[in-house]
Amino acid sequence: MGIPKIVYFFAYSYSFVLYGSIITGMGPIIPYFAAATGHAETSFSYIFFVRALGYLVGGSLIKVLTQHYSTHSILMGIELIGGLSLIGSSLSLSTINLAICMFISAACCCMINVVSNMCILKLYAGDNQDFWVQLLHLIFGAGGLVGPFIIIKFHEHSFFVLGLLFLSCIPIFYLLKAPEARDSVRKSEMCEPISRKAEILTCVLYLFYIGE
């Protein structure tokens, strides 16, 4: 017997909580970055454009990645890149580093959203998928509530903490098989085309019969 589906769901939920925390934490952290760098808060306004650009790039890139890598390999790569980016931005406070971090984090969060939903749909195929997808997004909302509290607690070091939490997802997805690989027999049955040679031959013969 394999690992229960609920364990997988908790793994995606943990990732989604962090995703929600990062998204809602991007705004509240600006005053702390402004105070640490000596810049006016208004000078950071352009980073929201950079964040939107990150969403666009992440949404475009994920289609290519899913064609070449397993879902959990993608998630591990996302968590690694996103985590290191968050940690890096907190070690060197500047508007440029924050903008780069916002871009990478937004792209990673967008891809986490897409890949996690893909995993849930594959994991619960034919098993009340809509409920589990809705529950996952409810958990994202809970993560959104957690983000501002992390910012209040750790101030300009909040991204360092979130980066470490992001990295903690990697061993989880390493230990769990991707949903598409959980049941190789079932996957092969779903992916391999069914032979229709007999039906095609019958139709061809029937068309010849009608033509006569």
Side-chain angles (χ1 to χ4, degrees):
M1 184 178 178
I3 299 174
K5 292 180 181 179
I6 193 65
V7 175
Y8 281 77
F9 183 78
F10 278 125
Y12 304 131
S13 298
Y14 176 52
S15 183
F16 247 56
V17 167
L18 297 178
Y19 161 37
S21 299
I22 291 169
I23 293 298
T24 56
M26 287 181 176
I29 202 171
I30 289 178
Y32 297 107
F33 265 77
T37 59
H39 292 88
E41 292 181 23
T42 53
S43 65
F44 290 86
S45 59
Y46 71 94
I47 65 172
F48 291 101
F49 170 78
V50 176
R51 182 177 70 173
L53 188 61
Y55 291 143
L56 181 63
V57 171
S60 303
L61 185 60
I62 195 62
K63 181 178 180 181
V64 178
L65 293 176
T66 52
Q67 292 174 346
H68 296 88
Y69 303 99
S70 70
T71 51
H72 280 195
S73 295
I74 296 171
L75 285 173
M76 286 189 288
I78 292 169
E79 307 287 359
L80 177 63
I81 295 170
L84 292 177
S85 173
L86 289 165
I87 291 173
S89 70
S90 64
L91 295 177
S92 179
L93 301 178
S94 68
T95 55
I96 296 297
N97 283 344
L98 182 60
I100 294 172
C101 176
M102 289 286 189
F103 174 80
I104 295 175
S105 298
C108 290
C109 285
C110 180
M111 290 188 281
I112 288 173
N113 186 0
V114 175
V115 175
S116 296
N117 279 283
M118 287 174 58
C119 290
I120 291 296
L121 292 174
K122 290 178 180 179
L123 190 65
Y124 290 96
D127 187 16
N128 214 5
Q129 292 171 315
D130 52 347
F131 167 78
W132 294 104
V133 170
Q134 185 176 6
L135 183 58
L136 185 67
H137 285 268
L138 178 65
I139 291 169
F140 163 76
L145 295 175
V146 172
F149 288 104
I150 293 177
I151 303 300
I152 292 171
K153 176 68 175 177
F154 297 101
H155 302 176
E156 68 271 16
H157 303 296
S158 300
F159 276 5
F160 183 85
V161 175
L162 287 170
L164 291 178
L165 293 174
F166 238 46
L167 294 177
S168 70
C169 294
I170 296 175
I172 297 174
F173 291 118
Y174 177 78
L175 294 173
L176 296 175
K177 282 186 178 181
E180 62 268 26
R182 285 185 86 235
D183 190 347
S184 57
V185 175
R186 183 172 179 270
K187 180 184 175 184
S188 63
E189 290 176 352
M190 292 174 62
C191 295
E192 290 181 3
I194 300 173
S195 177
R196 298 291 185 186
K197 291 180 180 178
E199 290 89 338
I200 294 171
L201 181 59
T202 302
C203 291
V204 170
L205 293 173
Y206 183 66
L207 289 173
F208 275 116
Y209 172 78
I210 294 175
E212 294 176 354

